[in-house]
Amino acid sequence: MLAEEPAIKILGCDSDELFIEELEIGRFGGWTASGRDMLSFVDVIALVWGVWSFAVFLVQGLGTFVL
Amino acid sequence: MRTMPRHLSDIRNRRYKLYDSPRKPGASIKLKKDDIPHVTVIRPAKGLEPQLYECLACAFRQDYPVDKVTIYICVASQDDPAYQIAKKVVDDFPDHDAKVLVEEEDPLLHGQGGHVDNLGPNPKIRNISRAYREAKGDLIWILDCNVWVAKGVLGRMVDRLCGYQHNGKLAQPFKFVHHLPLVVDITDQEARATSAPEREQLLPSPSSGTHPIDSANDGGPFSTLGRAFANGGGRLDEMFFATTHAKFYAAINTVSVAPCIIGKSNMFRRSHLDACTDPALNPILSSSDASRPRGIDFFSSYICEDHLIGDLLWRSSSCLPGYAAGYRFRNHGLVYGDVCIQPMAGVSVGAYFARRARWLRVRKWTVLLATLVEPGVESLLCSFYFSFAVTTALGALLRHRSDGTPWASSWTAMFVIWLATVLAWAVLDWFVSHRLHEGRAIEADADSPRFARGTGRCGGMPRRTLREWIPAWIGREVLALPIWIWAVLLGTTVTWRGKRFRVHTNMRVVEIEARGTTGKRRSGLAAESRRTPETENGRARSKDRVD
């Protein structure tokens, strides 16, 4: 989650309605103002695969070090 | 003060480059004669493996007191082509306490008082059962017939198992120790060293017909491709054992979070295995295990016995002798710096595919989770995971800071990152495989065969050139996923020494009835055992083995 960014982005006002762009913060697994999880399926896959491949690199590195 | 976990302190204290120079002779051989442990070396043999004489003879050439070693070479029958070689090796070393044990003469299985049903169908266990029963001393070293080890290996193995150190102190002993395996493809060497008639004389193989080396060298428009398919399996196996397998084997055994062994060279105590396989002593066994035999025979109805032995010893503690008195053992210990080398010749790509598929099918029910995720540790797929993750994260980050989709999240970027990762992986493998095959840690002497001298010594194997290495690396990596799919998702049967078996989820094996057989399907230990003698009729070159 991007901590420096505003939690919501105000796009404009029309009478008493406030438009916000939820995806701006949902993209990195943050939470929207309404509390819905916006972590997309693609993000979850990327996260899991990223962690997995990093772990494999670590194990490989250890194996190479020992050898 | 907090203490570091033992396996992590091992990493910290261990000097790396353990495979860079020959290691010291074992501390155990400098003990007082009466304190040197007696070791029984058990060598299960089947068929004429390449360089069989040299591989069998290496056990006799160990730098260990001769009167503290007993060697049993085990064959199924006197008709086995390995029998004559085994006899010759025993005759050539008359000073050693050595015998060739024939399964057909095992009193437990044949003759008065014996019965073939006394053991399950696992041919390796049936082969070595008698040797285990007649072992002298407590230490058992099971060393496959098709591997070679250097002369100092036994002493260092005993050190590791028993905790002997050169400073005279005792380290905490292990329950089980083993070696990193390597394969050396000697197809070219064999083809050059012997003409076909000479080879026929050396390797009488009535059932094999044309030797694969010859069939690949007979010219023709597709001779290069034909040669690659006919003999390339050994090169693929060589690549596998010197790259992916070596890295993960070393890493997993260093962190020591789970058993990870291969049964080519294993040492343990008979007293431990006997205690672990006794339901009256070992609380982790179930009541149904009470009907199974003790010791090594406990595993005779199961496939993948090497893993099962290691796993049972790993999980058992309270039943071990001395436990009540506070004596504790570490689980498994890899003997760093030493390797066991399997020479391979004339193995086709199809045979490689089949062998790897058999391993996977056998392992599937043994370590299911590890088998399921295994494709993800191979270079092509793991690099795909990595490139997808990076481009997704980068794309999201950059999109957040600018309008539109940045190049960093495009398919092109993903391909570039994938390619870069695969290349980096290949470069690492190149260095690891050359480091291992240089054989700097191997004590080579006049008795060392050429394949065991390493590529870094005069008289050793030639170093693989980049032109030779790259096709083998690509071939192995490309085949990894298809082999996994075929083995894990598309079947549960294995061809084991000429017969087809179904591997059950509990790792028991049951033979699949031949087509046209009308007899009632047999099941259970007794029925499986009755079929066992037939399963021994493997090919002379025995590439149908699971081990």
Side-chain angles (χ1 to χ4, degrees):
Chain A
M1 183 165 178
L2 301 175
E4 303 84 12
E5 299 299 327
I8 56 172
K9 187 174 180 181
I10 299 170
L11 298 179
C13 281
D14 183 10
S15 66
D16 57 350
E17 283 190 39
L18 190 68
F19 299 104
I20 60 172
E21 188 179 353
E22 293 176 334
L23 282 179
E24 283 293 303
I25 55 170
R27 183 67 193 168
F28 273 112
W31 295 82
T32 63
S34 59
R36 283 190 293 123
D37 187 0
M38 291 301 294
L39 202 65
S40 72
F41 177 72
V42 171
D43 291 332
V44 173
I45 294 292
L47 185 67
V48 171
W49 284 359
V51 170
W52 173 263
S53 54
F54 185 68
V56 171
F57 294 156
L58 279 182
V59 174
Q60 274 206 86
L62 176 61
T64 307
F65 176 79
V66 171
L67 295 172
Chain B
M1 182 179 163
R2 289 182 63 193
T3 55
M4 189 179 282
R6 188 179 300 275
H7 56 271
L8 293 180
S9 68
D10 257 12
I11 299 169
R12 187 195 61 185
N13 297 332
R14 185 177 301 130
R15 276 179 254 154
Y16 76 106
K17 294 186 176 178
L18 285 167
Y19 292 82
D20 247 14
S21 55
R23 300 187 61 202
K24 289 181 192 172
S28 51
I29 62 174
K30 293 172 186 160
L31 296 171
K32 282 190 290 183
K33 191 108 181 183
D34 291 344
D35 294 337
I36 298 175
H38 193 104
V39 180
T40 302
V41 188
I42 299 178
R43 307 216 58 179
K46 164 84 178 152
L48 280 175
E49 297 283 349
Q51 300 282 321
L52 181 61
Y53 182 93
E54 291 298 334
C55 290
L56 291 176
C58 75
F60 294 81
R61 292 174 174 147
Q62 289 299 306
D63 188 7
Y64 201 82
V66 171
D67 57 339
K68 293 289 183 179
V69 182
T70 299
I71 302 171
Y72 292 135
I73 303 173
C74 309
V75 295
S77 75
Q78 293 194 13
D79 297 331
D80 192 301
Y83 179 75
Q84 294 301 332
I85 305 280
K87 287 287 286 180
K88 179 166 172 43
V89 176
V90 171
D91 291 344
D92 287 349
F93 293 90
D95 295 340
H96 284 72
D97 177 19
K99 263 198 268 185
V100 180
L101 298 179
V102 181
E103 184 195 316
E104 283 181 350
E105 298 163 8
D106 185 345
L108 180 72
L109 300 170
H110 304 279
Q112 284 188 336
H115 198 279
V116 290
D117 291 350
N118 284 341
L119 290 177
N122 185 316
K124 189 170 174 180
I125 297 292
R126 293 176 72 91
N127 251 6
I128 65 176
S129 171
R130 185 178 173 191
Y132 181 87
R133 269 178 274 132
E134 296 182 6
K136 297 169 185 171
D138 196 27
L139 304 193
I140 304 284
W141 183 18
I142 300 178
L143 182 64
D144 278 1
C145 70
N146 56 4
V147 297
W148 180 94
V149 291
K151 64 181 181 182
V153 160
L154 175 53
R156 288 187 290 272
M157 220 173 177
V158 170
D159 287 1
R160 185 85 166 144
L161 185 76
C162 301
Y164 298 123
Q165 297 182 104
H166 284 281
N167 60 12
K169 293 178 182 172
L170 275 178
Q172 191 176 4
F174 282 88
K175 299 174 189 170
F176 183 98
V177 294
H178 55 114
H179 283 124
L180 179 76
L182 278 186
V183 164
V184 176
D185 179 38
I186 57 166
T187 303
D188 295 341
Q189 180 193 337
E190 289 230 322
R192 273 196 298 271
T194 54
S195 63
E198 285 171 330
R199 204 165 43 239
E200 282 303 314
Q201 212 172 6
L202 285 170
L203 307 175
S205 177
S207 62
S208 62
T210 310
H211 195 283
I213 297 173
D214 299 329
S215 63
N217 288 336
D218 57 1
F222 303 108
S223 59
T224 305
L225 198 59
R227 207 164 32 244
F229 275 102
N231 294 316
R235 204 59 72 83
L236 297 175
D237 248 331
E238 178 183 295
M239 186 61 67
F240 172 65
F241 277 99
T243 55
T244 296
H245 187 270
K247 286 183 293 185
F248 284 95
Y249 199 79
I252 294 169
N253 278 292
T254 298
V255 295
S256 201
V257 291
C260 176
I261 58 156
I262 191 165
K264 290 191 179 298
S265 173
N266 301 159
M267 185 184 280
F268 52 87
R269 294 169 187 79
R270 187 169 61 163
S271 58
H272 282 192
L273 196 62
D274 288 346
C276 289
T277 53
D278 187 347
L281 297 174
N282 194 349
I284 69 170
L285 297 180
S286 65
S287 55
S288 63
D289 292 320
S291 61
R292 294 164 66 180
R294 303 281 174 269
I296 201 97
D297 298 346
F298 185 81
F299 307 94
S300 64
S301 298
Y302 291 80
I303 204 165
C304 208
E305 73 292 328
D306 48 357
H307 172 83
L308 293 177
I309 291 170
D311 184 60
L312 186 61
L313 286 169
W314 178 285
R315 292 185 291 121
S316 307
S317 289
S318 60
C319 63
L320 299 181
Y323 183 85
Y327 211 52
R328 297 290 183 271
F329 293 87
R330 297 172 70 182
N331 285 323
H332 293 179
L334 180 64
V335 185
Y336 293 102
D338 284 326
V339 292
C340 59
I341 301 174
Q342 179 182 354
M344 209 175 255
V347 178
S348 68
V349 172
Y352 165 79
F353 192 104
R355 184 170 127 117
R356 292 288 305 130
R358 277 196 299 276
W359 275 29
L360 278 166
R361 283 197 181 156
V362 167
R363 281 185 54 219
K364 182 162 65 176
W365 301 122
T366 315
V367 279
L368 181 63
L369 187 61
T371 307
L372 288 177
V373 300
E374 189 168 301
V377 305
E378 301 287 359
S379 65
L380 304 185
L381 197 55
C382 187
S383 298
F384 170 76
Y385 291 170
F386 178 71
S387 58
F388 182 85
V390 167
T391 49
T392 303
L394 274 181
L397 180 66
L398 297 175
R399 194 185 299 118
H400 186 76
R401 297 180 183 280
S402 63
D403 291 334
T405 304
W407 183 83
S409 66
S410 65
W411 290 109
T412 310
M414 183 176 148
F415 177 73
V416 169
I417 294 174
W418 176 82
L419 196 62
T421 312
V422 170
L423 279 174
W425 197 304
V427 169
L428 184 70
D429 280 352
W430 164 265
F431 284 110
V432 169
S433 64
H434 278 298
R435 183 187 193 80
L436 288 174
H437 279 287
E438 272 182 344
R440 290 188 201 167
I442 297 168
E443 307 142 297
D445 58 16
D447 294 324
S448 305
R450 188 177 178 217
F451 69 84
R453 289 169 180 263
T455 60
R457 281 193 186 87
C458 188
M461 295 293 287
R463 182 181 163 121
R464 304 281 180 224
T465 62
L466 196 61
R467 202 172 149 194
E468 288 177 299
W469 191 87
I470 286 178
W473 188 86
I474 293 174
R476 201 213 76 78
E477 300 301 324
V478 167
L479 279 174
L481 187 58
I483 289 173
W484 183 87
I485 292 170
W486 174 256
V488 177
L489 304 181
L490 302 177
T492 56
T493 60
V494 293
T495 303
W496 193 10
R497 302 193 179 197
K499 291 278 182 180
R500 289 183 73 218
F501 290 87
R502 173 157 287 116
V503 184
H504 285 199
T505 53
N506 62 0
M507 285 165 285
R508 274 187 179 247
V509 286
V510 175
E511 184 187 343
I512 299 171
E513 297 288 349
R515 262 182 220 169
T517 303
T518 53
K520 199 166 72 176
R521 185 182 182 82
R522 292 171 291 181
S523 62
L525 170 64
E528 288 161 26
S529 303
R530 278 196 295 277
R531 299 185 192 105
T532 299
E534 299 165 21
T535 68
E536 304 289 11
N537 297 326
R539 289 185 294 155
R541 291 187 68 79
S542 76
K543 293 305 174 196
D544 290 332
R545 306 161 58 115
V546 169
D547 52 346

